[in-house]
């Protein structure tokens, strides 16, 4: 398509564009990505070169796009469809989001006899 061709022409730095497009197409398309044009390719005292990635403490996967900046994407999947008797809990240690029962957060959110997935206590249609 024309748009694709224009994109290719604009992307003279092929490798860089590939990196950017990969960054913006992480699995779980809810993932937010950020691009910082002035950001240095360094994290916690370590220097990174073009194409190298690191995981920041706030669970962003960052890639060095030297000399034009740094691109970072959220790595956590945000669950969007779960019953209202459950809630999403974020664990900053593991960068994972788990869906647990509100009444008992130590239990995972799974279908059970007392909790039907359908609307509240409506029998299944015959």
């Amino acid at each position: 398509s024309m748009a694709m061709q224009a994109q290719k022409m604009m992307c003279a730095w092929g490798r860089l564009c590939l990196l950017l497009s990969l960054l913006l197409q992480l699995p779980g398309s809810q993932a937010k990505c950020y691009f910082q044009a002035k950001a240095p390719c360094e994290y916690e005292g370590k220097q990174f070169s073009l194409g190298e990635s690191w995981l920041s403490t706030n669970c962003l996967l960052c890639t060095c796009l030297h000399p034009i900046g740094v691109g970072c994407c959220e790595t956590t999947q945000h669950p969007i469809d779960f019953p209202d008797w459950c809630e999403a809990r974020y664990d900053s240690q593991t960068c994972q989001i788990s869906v647990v029962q509100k009444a008992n957060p130590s239990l995972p959110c799974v279908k059970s006899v007392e909790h039907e997935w359908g609307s509240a206590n409506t029998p299944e249609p015959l």
Side-chain angles (χ1 to χ4, degrees):
S1 74
M2 287 288 289
M4 290 295 286
Q5 232 136 23
Q7 199 177 4
K8 277 191 184 131
M9 282 164 59
M10 281 165 49
C11 281
W13 304 344
R15 190 170 156 210
L16 200 62
C17 273
L18 183 67
L19 269 173
L20 272 171
S21 61
L22 285 175
L23 267 176
L24 299 171
Q25 288 165 12
L26 277 180
S29 49
Q30 287 97 25
K32 292 190 186 69
C33 293
Y34 312 90
F35 179 72
Q36 297 153 292
K38 297 271 190 287
C41 287
E42 119 181 39
Y43 183 70
E44 291 187 339
K46 189 177 185 305
Q47 200 69 41
F48 294 88
S49 55
L50 178 61
E52 285 190 309
S53 296
W54 63 93
L55 192 62
S56 72
T57 48
N58 55 349
C59 300
L60 290 176
L61 181 64
C62 295
T63 303
C64 175
L65 304 170
H66 181 79
I68 62 162
V70 172
C72 296
C73 286
E74 290 180 353
T75 55
T76 41
Q77 300 278 353
H78 295 275
I80 46 174
D81 187 25
F82 52 88
D84 58 8
W85 45 270
C86 296
E87 63 184 357
R89 284 279 173 99
Y90 177 65
D91 182 352
S92 59
Q93 296 300 303
T94 61
C95 295
Q96 295 297 310
I97 292 178
S98 53
V99 181
V100 296
Q101 297 180 21
K102 283 181 188 170
N104 190 347
S106 64
L107 294 176
C109 180
V110 289
K111 189 174 179 180
S112 66
V113 180
E114 73 230 62
H115 287 303
E116 286 300 319
W117 284 98
S119 56
N121 304 328
T122 51
E124 289 292 308
L126 297 171

